[in-house]
Amino acid sequence: MDGVIVTGSVDIRHVWSALGGDPALVSAVSEVVRPGVLDARLPVRDLARACVGACALAAAELAARRAGRAEVPGVRVDDGAVAAAFTSERHLRVDGREPVAFAPLSRLWRTADGWVRTHANYPHHRRRLLAALGAPGDVGALEAMLAGRSATEVEESVYAAGGLAVALRTPEQWAASGQAAAVARRPLVERGRLDASPARVFTSTAPRSAGPPQPLLLPAAGLRVLDLTRVLAGPVATRTLALLGADVLRVDPPGMPELPDQHADTGFGKRSAALDLTRHQEEFEELLRTADVVVTGYRPGALDRFGLSPEALAARRPGLVVARLSAWGAYGPWAGRRGFDSLVQVATGIAVIEGAAGRPGALPAQALDHGTGYLLAAGVLRALTEQSYEGGGRFVQVALARTAAWLTGGLRPDDGDGTGGPDDADGYGDPGGARKAGGTGVGPAAAYPGPDPWLAERDSGLGRLRYALPPVSFTGGPTDWARPPGPWGADTARWT
């Protein structure tokens, strides 16, 4: 199971810089590079490793801070663990049953002038899609109908009806769009202050002393996280915070249950409650009163009417960390649009790059979702560390489309003009070993043994689960979640 060991790669340095981290700490990260993992034309493996590695470093940094240690524990990022985690929804088994993947109407369709991708996994999205197109739910009939319409016309009519459909674009077509321009102007991870509240004092933080090093604590132990997210990226972020010790309470509207397999895959370590914010505002305010972090994953503006914008939340709960995720970004002409990983791949040209024989392709994993989820978790952890020194409520913001821009740009760090540094292209596309632009390779690379070494089984209230182990790893840190997922919405909406 040995692979090439790389220390301080350029990609992790880039992500760590975007998170505002001390560059010297990257030397604590060792990466196990494995050929054959997440193979694609685009550098998906490097993106995945960088997002997980930066998240693990942020966790290790906060753990050291809380233990009063001067040195950050070592971080190890293994491509095998990362690949298993980035495809966790495929490895899930519930009592031996394989998960339900995309619904029949969530797919690519030929149009009169190209291709369009629809998303209809949720019943309400399916209804809106069919209503917008005036079509029956029969796949064959819909296929024939779409073959006679233009892709952009389908995109606009479906979005106008509250559904989800995106026309296939080449990278050049996407780059020429207003949304691409808006995304390109933003950093990979947006960060800032919300208020001037005092420095966060962790009750479990040990003072530095001349004696033996204090034992590490789980970096998020004792912290309360309100999880208002759905699908993959947001739940991956909060699943990671739960791994690291946070009390994570996911709250969903009662009439919109999560897809069962999706809930099982991303529900590890959390509790799940159903709460109608239009009728039970007092219950939510009581949760917010002692929350430390709020993570939202709905389209920008969708939660503002409940007083859930970062500014409104910070006004009621000074010192809060507010983390927001969106598909297209909270800016530009598509700011208010819904979106998912598969749609962002189609819009941004990724599907064209990964396609073959005139047919659009896809990444080997929902890497935009998973990668952005780890970026968001890392941003929260870094915000908590900064609060312990400087105080202030914080916001963290990421978008799938911004992660896509980083991926399609080859992951080259931005020098401020949108271009990579002169040395950064050296080593990209090297499928077999260490990246030349970011570290030292040691020893020959072993063949990827498949995901089995990074899968585990346990019983749960949902049945016997097979699942991917967490890829976030540092010396003295957790190796699995403290609790398995339970039934959706079965927990009381209060903190433990």
Side-chain angles (χ1 to χ4, degrees):
M1 288 183 56
D2 291 336
V4 172
I5 308 300
V6 182
T7 301
S9 74
V10 65
D11 299 323
I12 290 184
R13 290 205 307 269
H14 176 51
V15 176
W16 190 242
S17 175
L19 292 165
D22 178 357
L25 297 184
V26 179
S27 62
V29 182
S30 296
E31 304 159 58
V32 182
V33 180
R34 298 182 185 277
V37 169
L38 298 176
D39 281 344
R41 292 191 175 96
L42 290 167
V44 177
R45 180 184 64 183
D46 302 318
L47 175 146
R49 190 191 308 131
C51 292
V52 171
C55 184
L57 183 56
E61 178 192 35
L62 182 57
R65 170 67 175 160
R66 296 190 66 172
R69 291 190 182 185
E71 292 188 5
V72 169
V75 170
R76 186 177 177 89
V77 189
D78 192 310
D79 277 354
V82 171
F86 266 58
T87 51
S88 61
E89 65 275 11
R90 300 179 197 169
H91 300 305
L92 177 73
R93 298 291 183 271
V94 181
D95 289 332
R97 177 184 58 79
E98 293 190 9
V100 176
F102 286 100
L105 299 189
S106 295
R107 49 168 281 191
L108 282 158
W109 309 81
R110 280 193 180 275
T111 63
D113 57 356
W115 296 83
V116 68
R117 171 88 195 200
T118 57
H119 196 287
N121 283 5
Y122 289 97
H124 59 293
H125 290 157
R126 183 181 187 275
R127 288 194 299 271
R128 292 169 186 172
L129 171 70
L130 295 176
L133 298 175
D138 176 73
V139 171
L142 187 56
E143 191 169 41
M145 175 181 289
L146 291 175
R149 301 176 66 170
S150 79
T152 54
E153 186 257 326
V154 171
E155 175 184 282
E156 292 302 324
S157 61
V158 171
Y159 263 108
L164 294 112
V166 168
L168 178 74
R169 290 167 172 82
T170 65
E172 294 75 20
Q173 289 171 329
W174 174 249
S177 70
Q179 191 59 33
V183 166
R185 289 192 290 267
R186 302 290 178 139
L188 181 63
V189 182
E190 299 179 60
R191 307 160 49 250
R193 285 196 178 216
L194 290 170
D195 58 45
S197 55
R200 177 182 292 276
V201 178
F202 291 109
T203 56
S204 52
T205 301
R208 292 185 182 181
S209 67
Q214 296 291 328
L216 286 178
L217 302 165
L218 288 174
L223 298 174
R224 292 171 168 175
V225 177
L226 263 176
D227 178 2
L228 307 178
T229 69
R230 293 177 73 80
V231 197
L232 270 181
V236 163
T238 51
R239 180 180 70 182
T240 303
L241 297 175
L243 168 76
L244 299 171
D247 180 7
V248 178
L249 178 65
R250 173 164 166 169
V251 175
D252 287 284
M256 292 181 64
E258 185 58 278
L259 300 174
D261 290 339
Q262 208 157 257
H263 168 71
D265 176 47
T266 61
F268 282 87
K270 311 178 193 179
R271 292 177 300 117
S272 168
L275 191 67
D276 186 342
L277 297 186
T278 62
R279 299 173 53 201
H280 301 105
Q281 188 68 29
E282 290 184 8
E283 288 90 332
F284 180 82
E285 291 298 321
E286 181 60 25
L287 291 171
L288 179 63
R289 188 179 63 82
T290 55
D292 299 287
V293 180
V294 175
V295 185
T296 67
Y298 291 77
R299 62 188 173 89
L303 297 177
D304 289 2
R305 63 193 176 102
F306 300 111
L308 297 177
S309 69
E311 297 75 17
L313 286 166
R316 306 203 302 283
R317 175 68 168 136
L320 193 67
V321 175
V322 182
R324 295 204 301 175
L325 162 86
S326 63
W328 308 107
Y331 31 75
W334 285 20
R337 290 194 174 190
R338 299 171 177 86
F340 295 96
D341 181 305
S342 59
L343 301 179
V344 177
Q345 288 191 41
V346 166
T348 59
I350 290 173
V352 171
I353 294 171
E354 296 293 339
R359 184 175 180 86
L363 298 177
Q366 294 191 65
L368 304 181
D369 262 334
H370 286 274
T372 307
Y374 288 108
L375 290 176
L376 190 61
V380 169
L381 295 166
R382 287 250 57 251
L384 292 166
T385 297
E386 290 177 339
Q387 283 185 329
S388 72
Y389 290 99
E390 304 167 359
R394 307 277 168 149
F395 76 86
V396 181
Q397 187 164 272
V398 293
L400 302 187
R402 183 61 184 86
T403 305
W406 179 46
L407 175 64
T408 54
L411 306 189
R412 286 183 286 276
D414 194 333
D415 285 344
D417 60 357
T419 62
D423 298 326
D424 296 330
D426 194 13
Y428 283 91
D430 172 11
R435 291 278 296 279
K436 300 173 188 174
T440 304
V442 180
Y448 174 52
D452 287 353
W454 297 282
L455 303 180
E457 291 193 9
R458 69 197 299 181
D459 291 320
S460 76
L462 304 175
R464 182 73 177 173
L465 300 181
R466 189 191 78 174
Y467 60 99
L469 289 165
V472 172
S473 175
F474 59 93
T475 302
T479 58
D480 201 347
W481 289 274
R483 56 181 290 166
W488 178 88
D491 295 296
T492 304
R494 62 169 63 102
W495 300 115
T496 55

